[in-house]
Amino acid sequence: MKKWLSPALLIATFALSAVAHYTHWNAIAQFIICAIAVVFVAGFLGKATESVAHYAGQRLGGFLNATFGNAAELIIAIFLVKEGLYDMVKASLTGSIIGNLLLVLGASLFAGGLKYKVQNFNVSLASLSGSLMIVAVIALFVPAVFLNTHVITDNESDTLSLIVAGTLIVAYIAWLIFSMITHKDYLDDVTEQKDEELPHEHVPVWSRNKSIAYLVLATAMVAFVSEWLVKTLEVFTVQFGLSELFVGAFLVAIIGNAAEHSAAILLAMKNKIGASVEIAVGSSLQIALFVAPVLIFVSYFMGNTMNIVFTTIELVAIAVSVFIAKSITQDGSTNWYEGLMLLVVYILLGVSFFLI
């Protein structure tokens, strides 16, 4: 019974969201149904990615987990770009970064810390990841400062945004080469040799070919549900008097990161805190250094370039998140109270965004 419950709910919620969209149900009902469907589809995507990762190996598997873990969010953002909702796109990117660094990492440290008094992970990986996040913050701050203090044309603004985006993509590719090839052993998890297994170290339920097929299917399902969800956001925002900043930064980000939330927490509870940190911080890095720049280029090819200038509130939220996350992880050990501190900062930012 339990074995078939999850697939049944996945199919049921996906089918119901399709019916709601194509038969033009009330926009609020559509939003709720599609949001629930995205959670189940993201979970299916995460399971398929985990299965493929088992066959691909640890390093490539980790990259696949990060990439497809952000697939739902990237697809949602592309549809938002297509609709011209640039403010909500930037808010969702902000929400994803702070959500991973504060909510996902905080919940993981808290849950793992309740079971294990102190948990350790590779301090070099934490230090390098934190420094790279600071580079991303600098890359977001520089255009905002220059464009807000100097009068430049729209063409110059677009050019600056495209150059910054291209530079960040190069930096991310270089990070992949560094972490997966040239310094692979240097960044290995310190808990790697322990007896306790990671979830994906068990023999997967699906064969390699079936895993790949399900991965493609899950990605397609995410694309459909994401488009249906985006179509309802504007009505939902107006109906409840919410700002695009709050909807993008918290609702869209939490829904898009559903699979990552559960995976990171479960790993932490198995004393694999290094893997949890890598999911949370690695996902934030991919959003800041790859997803955001890719969206700049996507908007350019759609004919109306989205600039890379974030609002002061968004920049402050990102900077605060990076600062506290780096401060807590830089010593390579964690406990439940450090996780609680991250969650407290997330709640403070959430309340502030809601009241704007």
PDB file of all heavy atoms in Angstrom, residues 175-210:
ATOM      1  N   TRP A 175      34.620  26.393 -11.066  1.00  0.00           N
ATOM      2  CA  TRP A 175      34.381  25.740  -9.773  1.00  0.00           C
ATOM      3  C   TRP A 175      34.085  24.257  -9.954  1.00  0.00           C
ATOM      4  O   TRP A 175      34.560  23.419  -9.174  1.00  0.00           O
ATOM      5  CB  TRP A 175      33.232  26.433  -9.050  1.00  0.00           C
ATOM      6  CG  TRP A 175      32.691  25.681  -7.867  1.00  0.00           C
ATOM      7  CD1 TRP A 175      31.464  25.101  -7.756  1.00  0.00           C
ATOM      8  CD2 TRP A 175      33.360  25.419  -6.625  1.00  0.00           C
ATOM      9  NE1 TRP A 175      31.319  24.511  -6.530  1.00  0.00           N
ATOM     10  CE2 TRP A 175      32.477  24.687  -5.811  1.00  0.00           C
ATOM     11  CE3 TRP A 175      34.625  25.746  -6.122  1.00  0.00           C
ATOM     12  CZ2 TRP A 175      32.814  24.264  -4.534  1.00  0.00           C
ATOM     13  CZ3 TRP A 175      34.964  25.316  -4.840  1.00  0.00           C
ATOM     14  CH2 TRP A 175      34.059  24.589  -4.064  1.00  0.00           C
ATOM     15  N   LEU A 176      33.317  23.913 -10.973  1.00  0.00           N
ATOM     16  CA  LEU A 176      33.025  22.497 -11.239  1.00  0.00           C
ATOM     17  C   LEU A 176      34.302  21.734 -11.577  1.00  0.00           C
ATOM     18  O   LEU A 176      34.510  20.608 -11.107  1.00  0.00           O
ATOM     19  CB  LEU A 176      32.023  22.381 -12.397  1.00  0.00           C
ATOM     20  CG  LEU A 176      30.599  22.877 -12.140  1.00  0.00           C
ATOM     21  CD1 LEU A 176      29.742  22.678 -13.385  1.00  0.00           C
ATOM     22  CD2 LEU A 176      29.976  22.168 -10.948  1.00  0.00           C
ATOM     23  N   ILE A 177      35.161  22.345 -12.391  1.00  0.00           N
ATOM     24  CA  ILE A 177      36.431  21.709 -12.756  1.00  0.00           C
ATOM     25  C   ILE A 177      37.297  21.529 -11.502  1.00  0.00           C
ATOM     26  O   ILE A 177      37.896  20.473 -11.281  1.00  0.00           O
ATOM     27  CB  ILE A 177      37.177  22.551 -13.802  1.00  0.00           C
ATOM     28  CG1 ILE A 177      36.382  22.564 -15.120  1.00  0.00           C
ATOM     29  CG2 ILE A 177      38.593  22.012 -14.046  1.00  0.00           C
ATOM     30  CD1 ILE A 177      36.916  23.538 -16.156  1.00  0.00           C
ATOM     31  N   PHE A 178      37.336  22.567 -10.666  1.00  0.00           N
ATOM     32  CA  PHE A 178      38.145  22.527  -9.440  1.00  0.00           C
ATOM     33  C   PHE A 178      37.637  21.461  -8.477  1.00  0.00           C
ATOM     34  O   PHE A 178      38.406  20.655  -7.948  1.00  0.00           O
ATOM     35  CB  PHE A 178      38.106  23.908  -8.772  1.00  0.00           C
ATOM     36  CG  PHE A 178      38.862  23.982  -7.473  1.00  0.00           C
ATOM     37  CD1 PHE A 178      40.228  24.229  -7.468  1.00  0.00           C
ATOM     38  CD2 PHE A 178      38.209  23.806  -6.261  1.00  0.00           C
ATOM     39  CE1 PHE A 178      40.933  24.299  -6.268  1.00  0.00           C
ATOM     40  CE2 PHE A 178      38.904  23.876  -5.057  1.00  0.00           C
ATOM     41  CZ  PHE A 178      40.271  24.115  -5.066  1.00  0.00           C
ATOM     42  N   SER A 179      36.327  21.458  -8.235  1.00  0.00           N
ATOM     43  CA  SER A 179      35.764  20.577  -7.213  1.00  0.00           C
ATOM     44  C   SER A 179      35.565  19.139  -7.669  1.00  0.00           C
ATOM     45  O   SER A 179      35.597  18.214  -6.855  1.00  0.00           O
ATOM     46  CB  SER A 179      34.421  21.145  -6.711  1.00  0.00           C
ATOM     47  OG  SER A 179      33.479  21.198  -7.769  1.00  0.00           O
ATOM     48  N   MET A 180      35.386  18.926  -8.978  1.00  0.00           N
ATOM     49  CA  MET A 180      35.089  17.589  -9.473  1.00  0.00           C
ATOM     50  C   MET A 180      36.273  16.904 -10.149  1.00  0.00           C
ATOM     51  O   MET A 180      36.255  15.691 -10.342  1.00  0.00           O
ATOM     52  CB  MET A 180      33.907  17.644 -10.452  1.00  0.00           C
ATOM     53  CG  MET A 180      32.596  18.063  -9.813  1.00  0.00           C
ATOM     54  SD  MET A 180      31.269  18.280 -11.028  1.00  0.00           S
ATOM     55  CE  MET A 180      31.147  16.617 -11.675  1.00  0.00           C
ATOM     56  N   ILE A 181      37.314  17.688 -10.504  1.00  0.00           N
ATOM     57  CA  ILE A 181      38.422  17.095 -11.251  1.00  0.00           C
ATOM     58  C   ILE A 181      39.769  17.355 -10.563  1.00  0.00           C
ATOM     59  O   ILE A 181      40.394  16.433 -10.041  1.00  0.00           O
ATOM     60  CB  ILE A 181      38.455  17.633 -12.710  1.00  0.00           C
ATOM     61  CG1 ILE A 181      37.153  17.283 -13.432  1.00  0.00           C
ATOM     62  CG2 ILE A 181      39.660  17.039 -13.465  1.00  0.00           C
ATOM     63  CD1 ILE A 181      37.022  17.876 -14.808  1.00  0.00           C
ATOM     64  N   THR A 182      40.216  18.624 -10.551  1.00  0.00           N
ATOM     65  CA  THR A 182      41.582  18.901 -10.092  1.00  0.00           C
ATOM     66  C   THR A 182      41.770  18.744  -8.580  1.00  0.00           C
ATOM     67  O   THR A 182      42.852  18.369  -8.125  1.00  0.00           O
ATOM     68  CB  THR A 182      42.010  20.326 -10.504  1.00  0.00           C
ATOM     69  OG1 THR A 182      41.188  21.289  -9.833  1.00  0.00           O
ATOM     70  CG2 THR A 182      41.884  20.518 -12.009  1.00  0.00           C
ATOM     71  N   HIS A 183      40.736  19.026  -7.775  1.00  0.00           N
ATOM     72  CA  HIS A 183      40.854  18.938  -6.318  1.00  0.00           C
ATOM     73  C   HIS A 183      39.742  18.073  -5.728  1.00  0.00           C
ATOM     74  O   HIS A 183      39.233  18.341  -4.631  1.00  0.00           O
ATOM     75  CB  HIS A 183      40.820  20.341  -5.691  1.00  0.00           C
ATOM     76  CG  HIS A 183      42.067  21.121  -5.923  1.00  0.00           C
ATOM     77  ND1 HIS A 183      42.431  21.572  -7.184  1.00  0.00           N
ATOM     78  CD2 HIS A 183      43.049  21.528  -5.069  1.00  0.00           C
ATOM     79  CE1 HIS A 183      43.579  22.230  -7.087  1.00  0.00           C
ATOM     80  NE2 HIS A 183      43.973  22.214  -5.830  1.00  0.00           N
ATOM     81  N   LYS A 184      39.397  17.049  -6.453  1.00  0.00           N
ATOM     82  CA  LYS A 184      38.302  16.163  -6.044  1.00  0.00           C
ATOM     83  C   LYS A 184      38.556  15.543  -4.664  1.00  0.00           C
ATOM     84  O   LYS A 184      37.711  15.585  -3.777  1.00  0.00           O
ATOM     85  CB  LYS A 184      38.153  15.069  -7.102  1.00  0.00           C
ATOM     86  CG  LYS A 184      37.143  13.993  -6.782  1.00  0.00           C
ATOM     87  CD  LYS A 184      37.136  12.953  -7.892  1.00  0.00           C
ATOM     88  CE  LYS A 184      36.223  11.786  -7.529  1.00  0.00           C
ATOM     89  NZ  LYS A 184      36.230  10.760  -8.593  1.00  0.00           N
ATOM     90  N   ASP A 185      39.751  14.971  -4.454  1.00  0.00           N
ATOM     91  CA  ASP A 185      40.065  14.311  -3.181  1.00  0.00           C
ATOM     92  C   ASP A 185      40.173  15.319  -2.040  1.00  0.00           C
ATOM     93  O   ASP A 185      39.817  15.012  -0.895  1.00  0.00           O
ATOM     94  CB  ASP A 185      41.374  13.523  -3.308  1.00  0.00           C
ATOM     95  CG  ASP A 185      41.264  12.394  -4.319  1.00  0.00           C
ATOM     96  OD1 ASP A 185      40.139  11.913  -4.532  1.00  0.00           O
ATOM     97  OD2 ASP A 185      42.297  12.004  -4.903  1.00  0.00           O
ATOM     98  N   TYR A 186      40.661  16.503  -2.351  1.00  0.00           N
ATOM     99  CA  TYR A 186      40.848  17.558  -1.346  1.00  0.00           C
ATOM    100  C   TYR A 186      39.523  17.960  -0.701  1.00  0.00           C
ATOM    101  O   TYR A 186      39.477  18.351   0.465  1.00  0.00           O
ATOM    102  CB  TYR A 186      41.504  18.756  -2.028  1.00  0.00           C
ATOM    103  CG  TYR A 186      41.691  19.984  -1.173  1.00  0.00           C
ATOM    104  CD1 TYR A 186      42.489  19.957  -0.029  1.00  0.00           C
ATOM    105  CD2 TYR A 186      41.089  21.196  -1.529  1.00  0.00           C
ATOM    106  CE1 TYR A 186      42.677  21.095   0.745  1.00  0.00           C
ATOM    107  CE2 TYR A 186      41.276  22.331  -0.763  1.00  0.00           C
ATOM    108  CZ  TYR A 186      42.065  22.280   0.376  1.00  0.00           C
ATOM    109  OH  TYR A 186      42.239  23.411   1.129  1.00  0.00           O
ATOM    110  N   LEU A 187      38.433  17.843  -1.472  1.00  0.00           N
ATOM    111  CA  LEU A 187      37.123  18.284  -0.995  1.00  0.00           C
ATOM    112  C   LEU A 187      36.207  17.141  -0.577  1.00  0.00           C
ATOM    113  O   LEU A 187      35.016  17.340  -0.376  1.00  0.00           O
ATOM    114  CB  LEU A 187      36.437  19.124  -2.082  1.00  0.00           C
ATOM    115  CG  LEU A 187      37.194  20.390  -2.514  1.00  0.00           C
ATOM    116  CD1 LEU A 187      36.448  21.102  -3.625  1.00  0.00           C
ATOM    117  CD2 LEU A 187      37.413  21.323  -1.338  1.00  0.00           C
ATOM    118  N   ASP A 188      36.750  15.920  -0.456  1.00  0.00           N
ATOM    119  CA  ASP A 188      35.929  14.775  -0.049  1.00  0.00           C
ATOM    120  C   ASP A 188      35.332  14.987   1.332  1.00  0.00           C
ATOM    121  O   ASP A 188      35.942  15.625   2.202  1.00  0.00           O
ATOM    122  CB  ASP A 188      36.763  13.487  -0.038  1.00  0.00           C
ATOM    123  CG  ASP A 188      36.853  12.859  -1.420  1.00  0.00           C
ATOM    124  OD1 ASP A 188      36.037  13.232  -2.279  1.00  0.00           O
ATOM    125  OD2 ASP A 188      37.746  12.017  -1.630  1.00  0.00           O
ATOM    126  N   ASP A 189      34.165  14.417   1.544  1.00  0.00           N
ATOM    127  CA  ASP A 189      33.466  14.521   2.826  1.00  0.00           C
ATOM    128  C   ASP A 189      34.241  13.760   3.900  1.00  0.00           C
ATOM    129  O   ASP A 189      34.652  12.618   3.692  1.00  0.00           O
ATOM    130  CB  ASP A 189      32.053  13.944   2.670  1.00  0.00           C
ATOM    131  CG  ASP A 189      31.192  14.175   3.899  1.00  0.00           C
ATOM    132  OD1 ASP A 189      31.695  14.769   4.870  1.00  0.00           O
ATOM    133  OD2 ASP A 189      30.023  13.762   3.867  1.00  0.00           O
ATOM    134  N   VAL A 190      34.437  14.380   5.064  1.00  0.00           N
ATOM    135  CA  VAL A 190      35.191  13.732   6.140  1.00  0.00           C
ATOM    136  C   VAL A 190      34.447  12.541   6.727  1.00  0.00           C
ATOM    137  O   VAL A 190      35.056  11.690   7.374  1.00  0.00           O
ATOM    138  CB  VAL A 190      35.511  14.733   7.279  1.00  0.00           C
ATOM    139  CG1 VAL A 190      36.417  15.830   6.784  1.00  0.00           C
ATOM    140  CG2 VAL A 190      34.237  15.302   7.879  1.00  0.00           C
ATOM    141  N   THR A 191      33.129  12.446   6.511  1.00  0.00           N
ATOM    142  CA  THR A 191      32.350  11.323   7.052  1.00  0.00           C
ATOM    143  C   THR A 191      32.223  10.186   6.048  1.00  0.00           C
ATOM    144  O   THR A 191      31.524   9.224   6.279  1.00  0.00           O
ATOM    145  CB  THR A 191      30.929  11.776   7.443  1.00  0.00           C
ATOM    146  OG1 THR A 191      30.258  12.245   6.267  1.00  0.00           O
ATOM    147  CG2 THR A 191      30.973  12.876   8.481  1.00  0.00           C
ATOM    148  N   GLU A 192      32.958  10.312   4.933  1.00  0.00           N
ATOM    149  CA  GLU A 192      32.783   9.370   3.840  1.00  0.00           C
ATOM    150  C   GLU A 192      33.117   7.932   4.221  1.00  0.00           C
ATOM    151  O   GLU A 192      32.543   6.982   3.708  1.00  0.00           O
ATOM    152  CB  GLU A 192      33.676   9.815   2.679  1.00  0.00           C
ATOM    153  CG  GLU A 192      33.341   9.167   1.369  1.00  0.00           C
ATOM    154  CD  GLU A 192      34.154   9.783   0.242  1.00  0.00           C
ATOM    155  OE1 GLU A 192      35.371   9.962   0.399  1.00  0.00           O
ATOM    156  OE2 GLU A 192      33.561  10.079  -0.792  1.00  0.00           O
ATOM    157  N   GLN A 193      34.064   7.772   5.143  1.00  0.00           N
ATOM    158  CA  GLN A 193      34.508   6.423   5.487  1.00  0.00           C
ATOM    159  C   GLN A 193      33.693   5.785   6.613  1.00  0.00           C
ATOM    160  O   GLN A 193      33.968   4.678   7.023  1.00  0.00           O
ATOM    161  CB  GLN A 193      35.991   6.471   5.901  1.00  0.00           C
ATOM    162  CG  GLN A 193      36.918   7.041   4.815  1.00  0.00           C
ATOM    163  CD  GLN A 193      36.836   6.262   3.515  1.00  0.00           C
ATOM    164  OE1 GLN A 193      36.742   5.038   3.539  1.00  0.00           O
ATOM    165  NE2 GLN A 193      36.848   6.954   2.395  1.00  0.00           N
ATOM    166  N   LYS A 194      32.702   6.497   7.129  1.00  0.00           N
ATOM    167  CA  LYS A 194      31.917   5.951   8.239  1.00  0.00           C
ATOM    168  C   LYS A 194      30.991   4.848   7.752  1.00  0.00           C
ATOM    169  O   LYS A 194      30.664   4.748   6.578  1.00  0.00           O
ATOM    170  CB  LYS A 194      31.122   7.067   8.926  1.00  0.00           C
ATOM    171  CG  LYS A 194      32.052   8.038   9.675  1.00  0.00           C
ATOM    172  CD  LYS A 194      31.254   8.951  10.572  1.00  0.00           C
ATOM    173  CE  LYS A 194      32.180   9.857  11.384  1.00  0.00           C
ATOM    174  NZ  LYS A 194      31.440  10.728  12.280  1.00  0.00           N
ATOM    175  N   ASP A 195      30.535   4.049   8.698  1.00  0.00           N
ATOM    176  CA  ASP A 195      29.733   2.885   8.339  1.00  0.00           C
ATOM    177  C   ASP A 195      28.368   3.255   7.802  1.00  0.00           C
ATOM    178  O   ASP A 195      27.802   2.549   6.985  1.00  0.00           O
ATOM    179  CB  ASP A 195      29.561   1.975   9.566  1.00  0.00           C
ATOM    180  CG  ASP A 195      30.893   1.350   9.972  1.00  0.00           C
ATOM    181  OD1 ASP A 195      31.752   1.170   9.094  1.00  0.00           O
ATOM    182  OD2 ASP A 195      31.038   1.052  11.171  1.00  0.00           O
ATOM    183  N   GLU A 196      27.816   4.346   8.282  1.00  0.00           N
ATOM    184  CA  GLU A 196      26.441   4.689   7.924  1.00  0.00           C
ATOM    185  C   GLU A 196      26.365   5.078   6.456  1.00  0.00           C
ATOM    186  O   GLU A 196      27.218   5.788   5.941  1.00  0.00           O
ATOM    187  CB  GLU A 196      25.942   5.847   8.779  1.00  0.00           C
ATOM    188  CG  GLU A 196      24.454   5.808   8.957  1.00  0.00           C
ATOM    189  CD  GLU A 196      24.029   6.684  10.125  1.00  0.00           C
ATOM    190  OE1 GLU A 196      24.890   7.186  10.841  1.00  0.00           O
ATOM    191  OE2 GLU A 196      22.811   6.821  10.302  1.00  0.00           O
ATOM    192  N   GLU A 197      25.373   4.639   5.755  1.00  0.00           N
ATOM    193  CA  GLU A 197      25.275   4.838   4.324  1.00  0.00           C
ATOM    194  C   GLU A 197      24.417   6.042   3.972  1.00  0.00           C
ATOM    195  O   GLU A 197      23.503   6.405   4.686  1.00  0.00           O
ATOM    196  CB  GLU A 197      24.652   3.614   3.656  1.00  0.00           C
ATOM    197  CG  GLU A 197      25.518   2.363   3.724  1.00  0.00           C
ATOM    198  CD  GLU A 197      24.813   1.210   3.023  1.00  0.00           C
ATOM    199  OE1 GLU A 197      23.631   0.948   3.361  1.00  0.00           O
ATOM    200  OE2 GLU A 197      25.415   0.586   2.158  1.00  0.00           O
ATOM    201  N   LEU A 198      24.742   6.646   2.847  1.00  0.00           N
ATOM    202  CA  LEU A 198      23.866   7.659   2.278  1.00  0.00           C
ATOM    203  C   LEU A 198      22.671   6.963   1.643  1.00  0.00           C
ATOM    204  O   LEU A 198      22.777   5.813   1.202  1.00  0.00           O
ATOM    205  CB  LEU A 198      24.614   8.464   1.198  1.00  0.00           C
ATOM    206  CG  LEU A 198      25.673   9.448   1.678  1.00  0.00           C
ATOM    207  CD1 LEU A 198      26.503   9.911   0.495  1.00  0.00           C
ATOM    208  CD2 LEU A 198      25.054  10.642   2.358  1.00  0.00           C
ATOM    209  N   PRO A 199      21.533   7.651   1.544  1.00  0.00           N
ATOM    210  CA  PRO A 199      20.367   7.024   0.937  1.00  0.00           C
ATOM    211  C   PRO A 199      20.644   6.481  -0.463  1.00  0.00           C
ATOM    212  O   PRO A 199      20.183   5.420  -0.828  1.00  0.00           O
ATOM    213  CB  PRO A 199      19.345   8.162   0.912  1.00  0.00           C
ATOM    214  CG  PRO A 199      19.720   9.032   2.057  1.00  0.00           C
ATOM    215  CD  PRO A 199      21.217   8.972   2.121  1.00  0.00           C
ATOM    216  N   HIS A 200      21.410   7.233  -1.297  1.00  0.00           N
ATOM    217  CA  HIS A 200      21.627   6.784  -2.669  1.00  0.00           C
ATOM    218  C   HIS A 200      22.690   5.693  -2.767  1.00  0.00           C
ATOM    219  O   HIS A 200      22.991   5.214  -3.845  1.00  0.00           O
ATOM    220  CB  HIS A 200      22.004   7.977  -3.569  1.00  0.00           C
ATOM    221  CG  HIS A 200      23.309   8.618  -3.253  1.00  0.00           C
ATOM    222  ND1 HIS A 200      23.408   9.727  -2.450  1.00  0.00           N
ATOM    223  CD2 HIS A 200      24.577   8.302  -3.614  1.00  0.00           C
ATOM    224  CE1 HIS A 200      24.670  10.089  -2.344  1.00  0.00           C
ATOM    225  NE2 HIS A 200      25.405   9.233  -3.045  1.00  0.00           N
ATOM    226  N   GLU A 201      23.300   5.300  -1.599  1.00  0.00           N
ATOM    227  CA  GLU A 201      24.282   4.220  -1.632  1.00  0.00           C
ATOM    228  C   GLU A 201      23.598   2.855  -1.601  1.00  0.00           C
ATOM    229  O   GLU A 201      24.217   1.845  -1.858  1.00  0.00           O
ATOM    230  CB  GLU A 201      25.243   4.367  -0.449  1.00  0.00           C
ATOM    231  CG  GLU A 201      26.175   5.564  -0.605  1.00  0.00           C
ATOM    232  CD  GLU A 201      27.066   5.768   0.595  1.00  0.00           C
ATOM    233  OE1 GLU A 201      26.649   5.458   1.719  1.00  0.00           O
ATOM    234  OE2 GLU A 201      28.187   6.262   0.410  1.00  0.00           O
ATOM    235  N   HIS A 202      22.333   2.815  -1.287  1.00  0.00           N
ATOM    236  CA  HIS A 202      21.582   1.569  -1.379  1.00  0.00           C
ATOM    237  C   HIS A 202      21.358   1.251  -2.860  1.00  0.00           C
ATOM    238  O   HIS A 202      21.357   2.132  -3.706  1.00  0.00           O
ATOM    239  CB  HIS A 202      20.238   1.704  -0.668  1.00  0.00           C
ATOM    240  CG  HIS A 202      20.368   1.914   0.812  1.00  0.00           C
ATOM    241  ND1 HIS A 202      20.734   0.928   1.681  1.00  0.00           N
ATOM    242  CD2 HIS A 202      20.184   3.033   1.572  1.00  0.00           C
ATOM    243  CE1 HIS A 202      20.759   1.404   2.916  1.00  0.00           C
ATOM    244  NE2 HIS A 202      20.437   2.686   2.880  1.00  0.00           N
ATOM    245  N   VAL A 203      21.133  -0.001  -3.146  1.00  0.00           N
ATOM    246  CA  VAL A 203      20.835  -0.370  -4.528  1.00  0.00           C
ATOM    247  C   VAL A 203      19.517   0.277  -4.925  1.00  0.00           C
ATOM    248  O   VAL A 203      18.501   0.101  -4.259  1.00  0.00           O
ATOM    249  CB  VAL A 203      20.726  -1.905  -4.665  1.00  0.00           C
ATOM    250  CG1 VAL A 203      20.338  -2.279  -6.094  1.00  0.00           C
ATOM    251  CG2 VAL A 203      22.048  -2.563  -4.275  1.00  0.00           C
ATOM    252  N   PRO A 204      19.505   1.087  -6.000  1.00  0.00           N
ATOM    253  CA  PRO A 204      18.292   1.798  -6.381  1.00  0.00           C
ATOM    254  C   PRO A 204      17.197   0.845  -6.859  1.00  0.00           C
ATOM    255  O   PRO A 204      17.467  -0.262  -7.335  1.00  0.00           O
ATOM    256  CB  PRO A 204      18.759   2.718  -7.525  1.00  0.00           C
ATOM    257  CG  PRO A 204      19.992   2.072  -8.048  1.00  0.00           C
ATOM    258  CD  PRO A 204      20.640   1.390  -6.883  1.00  0.00           C
ATOM    259  N   VAL A 205      15.972   1.303  -6.723  1.00  0.00           N
ATOM    260  CA  VAL A 205      14.819   0.481  -7.112  1.00  0.00           C
ATOM    261  C   VAL A 205      14.757   0.336  -8.625  1.00  0.00           C
ATOM    262  O   VAL A 205      14.362  -0.702  -9.149  1.00  0.00           O
ATOM    263  CB  VAL A 205      13.516   1.129  -6.586  1.00  0.00           C
ATOM    264  CG1 VAL A 205      12.296   0.326  -7.040  1.00  0.00           C
ATOM    265  CG2 VAL A 205      13.553   1.228  -5.067  1.00  0.00           C
ATOM    266  N   TRP A 206      15.170   1.378  -9.350  1.00  0.00           N
ATOM    267  CA  TRP A 206      15.062   1.393 -10.813  1.00  0.00           C
ATOM    268  C   TRP A 206      16.388   1.045 -11.481  1.00  0.00           C
ATOM    269  O   TRP A 206      17.460   1.341 -10.961  1.00  0.00           O
ATOM    270  CB  TRP A 206      14.608   2.771 -11.293  1.00  0.00           C
ATOM    271  CG  TRP A 206      13.325   3.244 -10.684  1.00  0.00           C
ATOM    272  CD1 TRP A 206      12.231   2.478 -10.377  1.00  0.00           C
ATOM    273  CD2 TRP A 206      12.993   4.582 -10.292  1.00  0.00           C
ATOM    274  NE1 TRP A 206      11.241   3.248  -9.828  1.00  0.00           N
ATOM    275  CE2 TRP A 206      11.678   4.549  -9.765  1.00  0.00           C
ATOM    276  CE3 TRP A 206      13.654   5.807 -10.340  1.00  0.00           C
ATOM    277  CZ2 TRP A 206      11.028   5.683  -9.302  1.00  0.00           C
ATOM    278  CZ3 TRP A 206      13.021   6.939  -9.876  1.00  0.00           C
ATOM    279  CH2 TRP A 206      11.724   6.878  -9.368  1.00  0.00           C
ATOM    280  N   SER A 207      16.309   0.462 -12.658  1.00  0.00           N
ATOM    281  CA  SER A 207      17.504   0.193 -13.452  1.00  0.00           C
ATOM    282  C   SER A 207      18.042   1.508 -14.018  1.00  0.00           C
ATOM    283  O   SER A 207      17.390   2.554 -13.921  1.00  0.00           O
ATOM    284  CB  SER A 207      17.156  -0.753 -14.609  1.00  0.00           C
ATOM    285  OG  SER A 207      16.266  -0.100 -15.514  1.00  0.00           O
ATOM    286  N   ARG A 208      19.228   1.467 -14.621  1.00  0.00           N
ATOM    287  CA  ARG A 208      19.831   2.690 -15.155  1.00  0.00           C
ATOM    288  C   ARG A 208      18.970   3.319 -16.238  1.00  0.00           C
ATOM    289  O   ARG A 208      18.707   4.525 -16.218  1.00  0.00           O
ATOM    290  CB  ARG A 208      21.227   2.385 -15.720  1.00  0.00           C
ATOM    291  CG  ARG A 208      21.951   3.636 -16.240  1.00  0.00           C
ATOM    292  CD  ARG A 208      23.326   3.292 -16.739  1.00  0.00           C
ATOM    293  NE  ARG A 208      23.262   2.319 -17.820  1.00  0.00           N
ATOM    294  CZ  ARG A 208      24.325   1.777 -18.421  1.00  0.00           C
ATOM    295  NH1 ARG A 208      25.539   2.103 -17.992  1.00  0.00           N
ATOM    296  NH2 ARG A 208      24.193   0.914 -19.400  1.00  0.00           N
ATOM    297  N   ASN A 209      18.518   2.503 -17.198  1.00  0.00           N
ATOM    298  CA  ASN A 209      17.706   3.032 -18.293  1.00  0.00           C
ATOM    299  C   ASN A 209      16.370   3.583 -17.797  1.00  0.00           C
ATOM    300  O   ASN A 209      15.894   4.632 -18.246  1.00  0.00           O
ATOM    301  CB  ASN A 209      17.467   1.955 -19.357  1.00  0.00           C
ATOM    302  CG  ASN A 209      18.732   1.599 -20.108  1.00  0.00           C
ATOM    303  OD1 ASN A 209      19.683   2.389 -20.139  1.00  0.00           O
ATOM    304  ND2 ASN A 209      18.761   0.418 -20.711  1.00  0.00           N
ATOM    305  N   LYS A 210      15.763   2.865 -16.852  1.00  0.00           N
ATOM    306  CA  LYS A 210      14.485   3.323 -16.304  1.00  0.00           C
ATOM    307  C   LYS A 210      14.685   4.625 -15.518  1.00  0.00           C
ATOM    308  O   LYS A 210      13.833   5.527 -15.573  1.00  0.00           O
ATOM    309  CB  LYS A 210      13.869   2.233 -15.418  1.00  0.00           C
ATOM    310  CG  LYS A 210      12.469   2.589 -14.902  1.00  0.00           C
ATOM    311  CD  LYS A 210      11.870   1.446 -14.083  1.00  0.00           C
ATOM    312  CE  LYS A 210      11.415   0.311 -14.975  1.00  0.00           C
ATOM    313  NZ  LYS A 210      10.637  -0.704 -14.213  1.00  0.00           N
TER     314      LYS A 210
END
